[in-house]
Amino acid sequence: MGKVITFFVLFFAVISCKKQTEPEFAEVFVADKAETKPEFAYGFSLNEYHMERDTVERGDNLSLILARHNYDATEIHDIVSKIKDSFDVRKIKAGKTFTLLKTKDPIPRLEVMIYEPDKMGFQVIDFRDSIHAYTVNYPVTYKVKTIAGEIDGSLSASIQKEGLDPGLATALSKQFAWSVDFFKFKRGDKFALSVREKYINDSIYVGTEEILGAYFNYNDKDVYGFPFKQKNQNNAQFYDEKGKQMRTMFLKSPLKYFRITSKFSNNRFHPVQKRFKAHNGTDYAAPHGTPIMTTAAGVVIQTGYTSGNGNFVKIKHDKTYTTQYLHMSKILVRKGQRVQQGQIIGKVGSTGLATGPHVCYRFWKNGVQVDPLRQKLPTSLEMDKKELPVYLSQIEPIKKAIDDKILEKFD
């Protein structure tokens, strides 16, 4: 009987000891595992280094940063020489983040510098062995997003309410300005928008890459617009669902802010020559240096200076129309250059026969100078008939996505 009692005493003693020691063992094991868990970033095991994160300060450059970490002028010159083809030291900007990986020695030694210029990736300067630099770009994906909504306040606020970048309102107002008055939207007016958005690693939103198409119900009319780049264009222009360009062929004037001081006339008193003569242009007064825009797309056929015209630019738009801009203080285009409507071609001045800063705008139709303010000008540029089928095929799925979203939202 005594042996049985002794056995049970020993058994329960062992069990009791295990219950006391197991929690302590578990805690030690977990703590040890946490300490050795590898952390990876930028392609490096961070546990192997002493890591410092910092921000580029105003006036900083690579030399100053390295000097603060015990590199002398000779070493810095050697580093810059070795990485110059793969790391542009001039592009280090204030406010950007950089990370330093140093050894865990009593006196830490810098081994890696990681510079992050933007969200799209990072640049590495590796000081180990042979000094070299390289760039890593994050994987980029694009997602098409189509939304529909109603005007509630401003267009930008209404777009943001539907989950898109409110800044798109500015781009839309420029492209639809000839068809929609964005200051006269009514509460409840409908709109829809299809865009291509840019993401890093399929999850981090970077921004809107492109507007694919847009729709507005304005004054009880359906207005569609889609971007398309013809072969003879430098940039995409917006066209409606039938391929008609949305903007008019000519702007109303070559200046945004102006005052007409002299109109086209067959018998005007010239303020400099002090005699009556024909004035085959329209004078738009504006402060010296005001940007001058080409009123339509075309090709620059002449630039130069004459005693009467001062600095001038002449542009041929098609077989019918040509325009000229006189008295510039500065010419910003060259002969043979293709320009787009609204592109800045020069600045207002008073060169040549001029009493003050202005631009004299001259207009030819079929080789004859005419008054542009009295002309019945074409409403838009026609799309090349050879490209129209390509355009219609391209916009078909985009328009369908917009129409489907409108039906889903409002019906």
Side-chain angles (χ1 to χ4, degrees):
M1 183 67 177
K3 290 181 178 180
V4 173
I5 292 172
T6 302
F7 171 80
F8 278 107
V9 169
L10 291 172
F11 176 79
F12 284 115
V14 170
I15 294 298
S16 176
C17 287
K18 288 189 71 176
K19 286 183 179 179
Q20 290 177 1
T21 58
E22 279 182 352
E24 293 180 6
F25 176 78
E27 287 178 10
V28 171
F29 176 78
V30 172
D32 183 61
K33 187 176 181 181
E35 286 179 2
T36 59
K37 181 182 177 182
E39 293 184 33
F40 291 95
Y42 311 110
F44 297 93
S45 177
L46 301 184
N47 285 333
E48 297 178 9
Y49 299 94
H50 170 67
M51 185 176 72
E52 297 178 13
R53 286 179 68 82
D54 206 344
T55 302
V56 179
E57 297 180 2
R58 187 178 298 277
D60 255 354
N61 56 43
L62 182 61
S63 297
L64 291 175
I65 293 171
L66 293 179
R68 290 199 292 268
H69 294 275
N70 303 319
Y71 282 86
D72 61 34
T74 302
E75 291 172 318
I76 292 171
H77 181 270
D78 182 52
I79 291 167
V80 172
S81 297
K82 288 181 177 179
I83 66 173
K84 64 181 181 180
D85 294 331
S86 50
F87 189 104
D88 191 343
V89 298
R90 298 168 300 177
K91 292 187 177 180
I92 289 181
K93 303 294 183 182
K96 300 300 181 180
T97 300
F98 66 92
T99 302
L100 304 177
L101 302 183
K102 297 183 177 182
T103 62
K104 292 185 176 181
D105 300 330
I107 301 178
R109 183 179 70 257
L110 178 61
E111 294 208 329
V112 178
M113 176 178 175
I114 299 129
Y115 174 64
E116 299 176 71
D118 51 42
K119 296 179 181 179
M120 304 307 298
F122 56 90
Q123 295 174 290
V124 175
I125 303 176
D126 194 332
F127 301 93
R128 301 170 300 179
D129 300 327
S130 60
I131 298 168
H132 64 284
Y134 57 90
T135 299
V136 176
N137 294 314
Y138 294 125
V140 173
T141 55
Y142 298 92
K143 300 178 183 179
V144 174
K145 187 173 183 179
T146 305
I147 59 97
E150 292 182 324
I151 298 296
D152 184 10
S154 67
L155 176 61
S156 58
S158 303
I159 289 174
Q160 186 175 31
K161 184 179 178 181
E162 299 300 329
L164 291 185
D165 181 357
L168 291 169
T170 301
L172 290 169
S173 65
K174 290 179 180 179
Q175 299 297 341
F176 282 77
W178 286 264
S179 306
V180 176
D181 188 338
F182 285 78
F183 293 101
K184 293 185 178 179
F185 273 131
K186 301 188 298 293
R187 186 185 183 92
D189 281 347
K190 297 178 176 60
F191 70 93
L193 187 58
S194 185
V195 300
R196 181 181 287 111
E197 294 183 325
K198 192 174 186 178
Y199 290 83
I200 295 173
N201 291 326
D202 206 37
S203 59
I204 303 172
Y205 173 74
V206 178
T208 300
E209 182 74 7
E210 181 185 10
I211 296 174
L212 300 176
Y215 159 89
F216 294 97
N217 182 259
Y218 176 74
N219 282 344
D220 297 323
K221 292 182 180 180
D222 294 332
V223 181
Y224 290 89
F226 307 91
F228 183 71
K229 182 179 177 296
Q230 296 193 69
K231 291 179 180 179
N232 64 343
Q233 294 176 335
N234 294 328
N235 302 299
Q237 306 292 332
F238 268 66
Y239 300 84
D240 68 12
E241 72 276 22
K242 296 180 181 178
K244 182 179 177 182
Q245 191 177 38
M246 301 195 68
R247 61 174 58 194
T248 58
M249 183 174 178
F250 287 93
L251 297 175
K252 292 180 180 179
S253 84
L255 305 176
K256 284 188 176 181
Y257 307 102
F258 60 88
R259 174 172 59 91
I260 295 179
T261 54
S262 182
K263 294 183 179 181
F264 188 96
S265 173
N266 290 322
N267 192 28
R268 183 199 71 154
F269 184 76
H270 197 284
V272 177
Q273 296 179 324
K274 304 299 182 182
R275 63 187 178 90
F276 286 92
K277 59 181 292 188
H279 182 241
N280 297 325
T282 305
D283 289 347
Y284 295 86
H288 191 279
T290 300
I292 300 171
M293 304 176 293
T294 174
T295 54
V299 176
V300 178
I301 58 173
Q302 194 176 2
T303 65
Y305 177 91
T306 66
S307 58
N309 296 337
N311 294 321
F312 70 91
V313 171
K314 195 171 186 178
I315 298 173
K316 187 174 182 62
H317 304 290
D318 58 15
K319 295 179 180 179
T320 305
Y321 299 102
T322 302
T323 58
Q324 189 178 23
Y325 311 77
L326 314 181
H327 309 303
M328 294 178 169
S329 62
K330 197 170 187 179
I331 296 172
L332 299 176
V333 290
R334 65 185 184 280
K335 183 178 179 180
Q337 181 178 340
R338 178 170 291 279
V339 292
Q340 301 300 319
Q341 184 186 60
Q343 183 173 332
I344 306 302
I345 58 173
K347 294 188 176 182
V348 168
S350 52
T351 56
L353 290 178
T355 57
H358 73 287
V359 56
C360 179
Y361 176 55
R362 297 195 172 188
F363 197 95
W364 281 263
K365 181 178 180 180
N366 294 320
V368 178
Q369 289 195 61
V370 296
D371 183 357
L373 301 179
R374 293 179 177 272
Q375 300 303 303
K376 186 176 180 181
L377 298 172
T379 55
S380 66
L381 293 171
E382 295 293 330
M383 179 180 288
D384 188 325
K385 291 181 180 179
K386 294 180 181 178
E387 298 199 53
L388 182 59
V390 177
Y391 169 76
L392 295 176
S393 175
Q394 176 179 302
I395 71 167
E396 184 179 3
I398 302 169
K399 184 176 182 299
K400 184 179 186 304
I402 287 175
D403 290 340
D404 288 347
K405 183 61 66 171
I406 293 170
L407 287 173
E408 176 188 320
K409 182 83 173 181
F410 301 111
D411 290 348

